[in-house]
Amino acid sequence: MPTPAPNYAGDLSAAEAWELLRSDPKARLIDVRTTAEWNFVGLPDLSPLGQEAALIEWQMFPTMQPNPQFVAAASAGADKDAPVLFLCRSGARSRSAAIALTAAGFGRAYNIAGGFEGDLDDERHRGHRNGWKAAGLPWKQS
């Protein structure tokens, strides 16, 4: 069940996101991390669901400037009533993306809390506390 938010549909855990992607064929995942993160950290693997995540940078590598084409790219050909789930490293950029798409008229834009790698643990490592990897969801590396 999503955690409500005032300016987007709310936050989902990685497990809740997977279940929504599994149960709703119209749901789609947009990974908003950078090209470098996709290449070196890995990608969510939606092949068991017969899907593929869309890869659209929220901030462009290497300058980290906002992507002025983000909303246009994310909404191109999309159903504004279908769930759109956003994923980044830890949940901050994806929250901003969910807010931006909500402002563009999408009523079911969700942030995946904890992101792909999750929060830092006590040893300052990611991937163990929360997020996609820590939930044991499928992922791949190029």
Side-chain angles (χ1 to χ4, degrees):
M1 186 65 116
T3 304
N7 44 8
Y8 61 101
D11 292 336
L12 298 170
S13 70
E16 290 169 329
W18 179 265
E19 180 55 30
L20 182 55
L21 289 163
R22 188 195 65 73
S23 65
D24 187 338
K26 291 184 177 182
R28 64 190 187 115
L29 175 66
I30 300 177
D31 188 328
V32 304
R33 295 174 299 147
T34 65
T35 302
E37 289 170 296
W38 301 325
N39 289 328
F40 297 111
V41 180
L43 296 165
D45 182 5
L46 303 184
S47 63
L49 304 176
Q51 300 177 30
E52 193 170 307
L55 307 177
I56 308 170
E57 289 180 314
W58 174 252
Q59 294 173 290
M60 299 178 300
F61 184 81
T63 65
M64 299 310 283
Q65 293 299 309
N67 178 354
Q69 301 302 315
F70 180 82
V71 171
S75 58
D79 177 349
K80 288 190 173 189
D81 296 320
V84 184
L85 292 69
F86 292 98
L87 179 75
C88 68
R89 180 185 69 193
S90 61
R93 287 172 285 174
S94 51
R95 182 181 324 110
S96 296
I99 291 167
L101 224 59
T102 299
F106 286 74
R108 297 178 68 196
Y110 297 97
N111 172 48
I112 300 176
F116 187 68
E117 295 181 81
D119 296 323
L120 292 169
D121 63 18
D122 294 337
E123 295 177 7
R124 305 207 40 83
H125 297 124
R126 295 186 188 275
H128 304 287
R129 182 166 277 170
N130 58 359
W132 193 273
K133 284 182 164 182
L137 295 172
W139 64 282
K140 59 188 174 183
Q141 227 159 349
S142 58

